[in-house]
Amino acid sequence: MIGKRYPGYDVQSKRQTPSWNEATRRAIDERLALPQEPRFFNAKEWEILNAVCARILPQPNDRPPVPVAAMVDAKVFGRRGDGYRDARLPPLHEAWRRGLTALDTEAKARYNHSFAQLAEHEQDGLLAAMQTDDLNHPAWGGMPAAAFFSHRLVHDITNAYYGHPTAWNDIGFGGPASPRGYVRLSENTRDPWEAAEAKPGLEHQALELNRRVQ
């Protein structure tokens, strides 16, 4: 508990306080109730996606993991775009399907195994090659690997992760600022309903403050 950056903090303690309204509660409930089985991706794509998520955002083993792959699947299944799209990429669902298939094809061409079966350093090497646009198998179908990496893969995975209450606890985020909002907006200040960051030697002080945060 003391080793955490925001010890004792649980964003969901705000649920029935002035920090969250009914719309916020519904939105959080939907994220917590996401099905853990894919609705868009097939079994093979789901396996690859989970392996990719584990390398892009490795998670600590002292808490339940954020269901990143399920959140990405929900976004693609619901066709929830970002309101904009890099012109080099096809639509959301097509980009993800083609990108995962191409990555797996690259893995088989280089290592004779599916991406999900590779050692972590091999997976990292392929992802690094994707980032620098050094993957060019015909399976990409003209979609630049680097554009997929930056504008879909990393974008969607990190947005999913930091959109989940478990990640909010890690970074001391209080969730949507509705209806209460925030008052102290200058640096190194905090409202009493915000999480307190543990300072060296003052961890127990942060723990006590965070137990009272609402």
Side-chain angles (χ1 to χ4, degrees):
M1 183 75 76
I2 298 299
K4 294 180 178 295
R5 188 174 181 183
Y6 296 91
Y9 177 62
D10 181 4
V11 70
Q12 293 196 71
S13 66
K14 297 174 179 287
R15 182 178 180 85
Q16 300 300 335
T17 73
S19 290
W20 288 6
N21 58 17
E22 186 55 34
T24 297
R25 288 188 284 271
R26 283 198 304 269
I28 302 308
D29 288 345
E30 287 179 10
R31 295 179 197 184
L32 294 175
L34 278 178
Q36 298 305 300
E37 297 298 325
R39 291 175 290 175
F40 173 79
F41 295 109
N42 62 38
K44 185 61 178 178
E45 294 163 345
W46 180 245
E47 182 183 43
I48 301 165
L49 175 60
N50 274 279
V52 169
C53 289
R55 301 315 305 150
I56 296 296
L57 271 172
Q59 299 194 48
N61 56 18
D62 61 348
R63 60 155 172 76
V66 175
V68 181
M71 295 179 74
V72 172
D73 179 79
K75 175 176 181 173
V76 184
F77 177 77
R79 300 293 202 270
R80 296 199 302 270
D82 304 304
Y84 60 91
R85 174 167 59 88
D86 189 302
R88 296 170 296 173
L89 299 178
L92 175 71
H93 62 288
E94 183 182 342
W96 265 109
R97 181 148 278 160
R98 190 190 307 179
L100 292 178
T101 298
L103 176 62
D104 203 51
T105 302
E106 297 274 13
K108 291 174 181 175
R110 186 176 299 192
Y111 298 107
N112 202 33
H113 288 290
S114 176
F115 181 84
Q117 298 171 332
L118 300 181
E120 291 179 353
H121 73 274
E122 294 169 335
Q123 293 176 338
D124 290 345
L126 280 169
L127 292 172
M130 186 194 301
Q131 182 179 19
T132 55
D133 218 21
D134 290 326
L135 298 181
N136 50 28
H137 192 281
W140 289 98
M143 180 175 73
F148 174 72
F149 180 89
S150 297
H151 299 291
R152 274 281 67 90
L153 190 145
V154 171
H155 174 83
D156 290 343
I157 289 175
T158 54
N159 276 9
Y161 182 84
Y162 287 108
H164 193 277
T166 296
W168 297 352
N169 289 339
D170 291 344
I171 63 175
F173 179 52
S178 177
R180 176 174 260 162
Y182 298 105
V183 177
R184 296 171 177 84
L185 301 180
S186 57
E187 60 186 29
N188 297 321
T189 60
R190 58 175 288 273
D191 289 316
W193 50 86
E194 291 185 273
E197 183 177 0
K199 304 295 183 182
L202 299 174
E203 291 87 354
H204 282 87
Q205 179 179 331
L207 177 62
E208 291 305 315
L209 287 171
N210 288 335
R211 283 173 172 167
R212 298 195 296 269
V213 164
Q214 293 185 343

